[in-house]
Amino acid sequence: MNLMEESFQNREEKKKKNITTIILIAIILLVVIIVSIAGYLVYLQNSTLKLALNGQQNEKIKQMLVFENDGTIYVPIKEISSHLGYESYNGEYSDKSEEPSKCYVQSENEVANFSLGSNKIYKLDLSKNEANYEYIYTKKPVKAINGVLYTTTEGLEKAFNVSFQYNQDNNRIYIYTLPYLVESYTSRVLDFGYTEISSEFVNQKTILQDMIVVSKENKKYGVIDLQGNSIIEPKYDNITYLPNTGDFLVETNKKVGILSKSKETKVQIIYDSIELMDSDAGLYVAKKDNKYGVIDIKGNIKIYIENDEIGIDISKFTQNNIKNNYLLADNLIPVRKDKNWGLYDKNGKQVVDFEYDSFGYIASSNKDALNLLVIPNYNVVVACKNKKYTLINSSGNQLFGAVADDIYMTISGGERHYYIAVNDQKMDAEAYLDSKGITSKDTGETSQDKSNSNSNTRNQNEVNNTNTVRTTNETNSSAINTNQRTNNDE
């Protein structure tokens, strides 16, 4: 081989080495690019919000969520209800209407009522007969977005009995319904040595608070945490969870009391029955030896247990939309001793003596009249004495003597109207209350204010009619005062 051929061969080998190096570098770069793309895709996938309902991905619910700048998440109440096992309707459960500013959701066991601008959700346990409404609060009220009512995820959890977990680190949302959680823990309690989870709906709610009401083979009930550790020993004949306070009503030997989840005895086990009256005030109706009274959450007696009845049969006043038969006009507790009724306030002070035959008006001869117990926006109660009627305000003050023949309600075009009838003449009850300086708690307006506000959109004939009614009301108001003076003279 001559020098020229050797030089050519060296150049060829060098060229091949360069090409090989280039190919290797290209392959390495390609691998790096592929890995980078794969990593980026994984990053995108992980950074994209995902939502799972009971362990299953749910894109429909994810699309419903509205994220606020402050981190609050809102959900459309009616739209999400079907995904959580609820039906949804406009209006209120006990006051059927198509009012768009209110809605309620209903499951087999419970109803939850929502109102636009309110952070108070009323709930009714359908598994209990003639149960009073309970209420819960949320930090932020219900609001409307494009005409649709939305609540926060806090409201979602409390109203629908679900667990809502948002892991911001991996951008994942997990929603678990109560039936799913109960089913998930049913087999686990067997491993903990218990027979079953309590079948009572209210008791099953404890799972959302990391507790479980369980029973042993001897039918004794107790409470454990989700790891099987004992909270309340299984030695009671029955246990009922009290969601508003987080405590437990326990029963043994046909007597009941209240225990906290820290095993503190809040109310001694000495009563025949205990029922929540008002969670804000922490009051309970207690029964002992067939007599009734009121105690607070610490067991202190607020109204002595010596009365024959506490509360009103509100089944007679279904159109009045009463949510609590123990507490009227937000402050008054109706109490019967022997045959007469009186009123106490939430502090346990008697504000009306036992002098009334009954509370509420029962319609009879007037076919248009409906039974009436309270005029809600004005917080006044109808009281009956010697077959005549009067109104009592939330402080227990009688607004006029028991001289009215009727105090009743009508419903026309979906609107409620209240009337006071004296000597075969009637007056508008709200106008009368306004004249006494009692304003609507909802608007802060008197009916006179509302009439003036609406008069701009009414024709002159309607204005004249309103003035005629107002004149009649003034005449009838004088009649009330005249009858009251006459009765006083007698």
Side-chain angles (χ1 to χ4, degrees):
M1 179 182 296
N2 56 37
L3 292 174
M4 183 178 294
E5 289 177 346
E6 184 177 353
S7 176
F8 176 78
Q9 185 177 357
N10 289 336
R11 288 198 299 270
E12 287 297 319
E13 290 178 355
K14 186 175 182 181
K15 183 178 180 180
K16 288 180 181 180
K17 288 181 180 180
N18 290 337
I19 293 173
T20 302
T21 301
I22 293 172
I23 292 173
L24 289 174
I25 292 173
I27 291 173
I28 292 172
L29 289 174
L30 183 60
V31 170
V32 170
I33 292 172
I34 292 173
V35 171
S36 299
I37 292 174
Y40 181 67
L41 290 175
V42 170
Y43 168 78
L44 286 178
Q45 186 178 20
N46 289 335
S47 63
T48 300
L49 176 66
K50 287 190 176 182
L51 183 147
L53 172 63
N54 293 335
Q56 300 295 321
Q57 296 295 317
N58 193 304
E59 286 294 318
K60 291 184 178 179
I61 294 180
K62 188 183 80 171
Q63 297 301 322
M64 295 179 186
L65 305 182
V66 175
F67 291 79
E68 299 284 284
N69 292 331
D70 62 358
T72 304
I73 305 175
Y74 282 88
V75 295
I77 299 167
K78 294 182 64 178
E79 283 73 4
I80 200 172
S81 61
S82 61
H83 295 272
L84 304 178
Y86 285 73
E87 300 291 335
S88 61
Y89 307 89
N90 284 341
E92 286 189 69
Y93 176 72
S94 59
D95 184 21
K96 302 296 190 293
S97 72
E98 291 301 314
E99 190 172 350
S101 64
K102 297 180 180 180
C103 72
Y104 68 93
V105 296
Q106 180 178 355
S107 69
E108 179 183 354
N109 298 300
E110 195 174 57
V111 168
N113 289 281
F114 299 84
S115 294
L116 178 63
S118 175
N119 67 336
K120 193 174 186 178
I121 300 173
Y122 283 95
K123 301 186 74 176
L124 180 64
D125 189 340
L126 298 178
S127 65
K128 298 178 181 178
N129 294 326
E130 300 179 359
N132 285 320
Y133 280 84
E134 295 180 356
Y135 50 84
I136 52 178
Y137 294 100
T138 57
K139 294 178 182 178
K140 294 190 176 182
V142 172
K143 74 175 184 177
I145 302 176
N146 296 324
V148 176
L149 296 184
Y150 280 70
T151 186
T152 61
T153 54
E154 179 191 12
L156 179 78
E157 287 189 299
K158 292 181 176 180
F160 290 91
N161 301 306
V162 300
S163 169
F164 185 97
Q165 303 170 14
Y166 180 25
N167 189 324
Q168 291 181 306
D169 292 335
N170 61 12
N171 217 14
R172 296 291 184 268
I173 291 176
Y174 306 95
I175 302 176
Y176 300 99
T177 62
L178 184 57
Y180 177 85
L181 292 173
V182 171
E183 183 179 355
S184 299
Y185 281 97
T186 295
S187 59
R188 196 172 301 183
V189 298
L190 299 177
D191 298 337
F192 296 149
Y194 298 92
T195 306
E196 61 183 0
I197 295 176
S198 171
S199 60
E200 287 190 38
F201 172 65
V202 69
N203 284 343
Q204 293 181 346
K205 291 183 182 182
T206 57
I207 294 181
L208 298 168
Q209 306 301 322
D210 299 330
M211 300 180 291
I212 309 175
V213 178
V214 292
S215 64
K216 286 275 193 179
E217 291 181 355
N218 58 2
K219 298 300 180 182
K220 296 294 184 179
Y221 289 85
V223 182
I224 61 175
D225 64 21
L226 300 186
Q227 288 72 45
N229 301 310
S230 176
I231 295 176
I232 295 177
E233 295 179 2
K235 60 182 181 181
Y236 297 96
D237 298 329
N238 199 12
I239 289 180
T240 301
Y241 180 54
L242 304 174
N244 293 78
T245 62
D247 298 320
F248 294 91
L249 183 73
V250 297
E251 178 183 346
T252 184
N253 297 325
K254 296 184 179 180
K255 296 294 181 180
V256 297
I258 296 177
L259 301 181
S260 72
K261 60 183 179 182
S262 59
K263 303 181 182 181
E264 174 192 0
T265 299
K266 288 191 170 182
V267 177
Q268 290 185 324
I269 308 174
I270 59 174
Y271 297 100
D272 300 325
S273 68
I274 298 174
E275 186 174 348
L276 179 67
M277 171 185 288
D278 182 70
S279 57
D280 283 348
L283 298 178
Y284 295 86
V285 176
K287 179 183 178 182
K288 187 177 181 183
D289 299 329
N290 213 32
K291 292 292 183 179
Y292 295 86
V294 175
I295 61 176
D296 65 18
I297 189 59
K298 296 181 179 180
N300 300 315
I301 293 178
K302 307 296 287 187
I303 298 177
Y304 288 111
I305 304 175
E306 59 185 16
N307 305 288
D308 297 300
E309 191 174 357
I310 293 181
I312 300 295
D313 179 7
I314 58 176
S315 65
K316 300 176 182 178
F317 306 97
T318 55
Q319 298 288 350
N320 214 182
N321 196 21
I322 306 294
K323 289 183 169 62
N324 189 335
N325 70 315
Y326 293 128
L327 195 62
L328 306 180
D330 291 342
N331 184 55
L332 300 176
I333 303 170
V335 178
R336 180 176 66 84
K337 182 178 286 188
D338 296 326
K339 294 183 178 180
N340 296 321
W341 288 85
L343 292 169
Y344 287 76
D345 64 17
K346 289 194 290 188
N347 294 319
K349 177 184 177 182
Q350 186 168 9
V351 293
V352 173
D353 290 335
F354 294 103
E355 58 179 295
Y356 290 97
D357 303 325
S358 63
F359 292 116
Y361 170 81
I362 305 299
S364 55
S365 58
N366 189 338
K367 65 178 182 179
D368 296 323
L370 297 173
N371 296 353
L372 180 64
L373 179 57
V374 299
I375 301 179
N377 287 349
Y378 293 80
N379 272 351
V380 292
V381 179
V382 179
C384 177
K385 184 177 182 180
N386 299 325
K387 297 183 179 181
K388 295 289 185 178
Y389 296 90
T390 184
L391 293 173
I392 298 174
N393 68 15
S394 60
S395 298
N397 299 318
Q398 184 176 270
L399 302 185
F400 53 86
V403 297
D405 300 309
D406 306 281
I407 301 179
Y408 61 95
M409 174 176 65
T410 65
I411 299 178
S412 177
E415 294 186 359
R416 286 170 168 74
H417 303 278
Y418 306 93
Y419 297 99
I420 302 172
V422 183
N423 297 335
D424 296 325
Q425 293 182 322
K426 71 177 182 179
M427 73 173 73
D428 184 289
E430 291 181 296
Y432 173 80
L433 294 170
D434 293 338
S435 72
K436 296 298 182 180
I438 303 174
T439 57
S440 169
K441 68 176 183 179
D442 282 350
T443 64
E445 296 179 317
T446 65
S447 62
Q448 176 73 45
D449 296 330
K450 290 179 281 187
S451 176
N452 291 339
S453 175
N454 293 333
S455 65
N456 293 330
T457 59
R458 296 173 180 166
N459 60 39
Q460 188 61 45
N461 287 335
E462 288 174 319
V463 173
N464 291 339
N465 288 338
T466 301
N467 290 334
T468 301
V469 171
R470 188 178 297 118
T471 301
T472 303
N473 286 338
E474 292 171 353
T475 301
N476 289 337
S477 180
S478 298
I480 285 180
N481 294 331
T482 300
N483 282 347
Q484 183 172 345
R485 286 195 297 271
T486 300
N487 287 347
N488 290 338
D489 291 342
E490 292 175 354

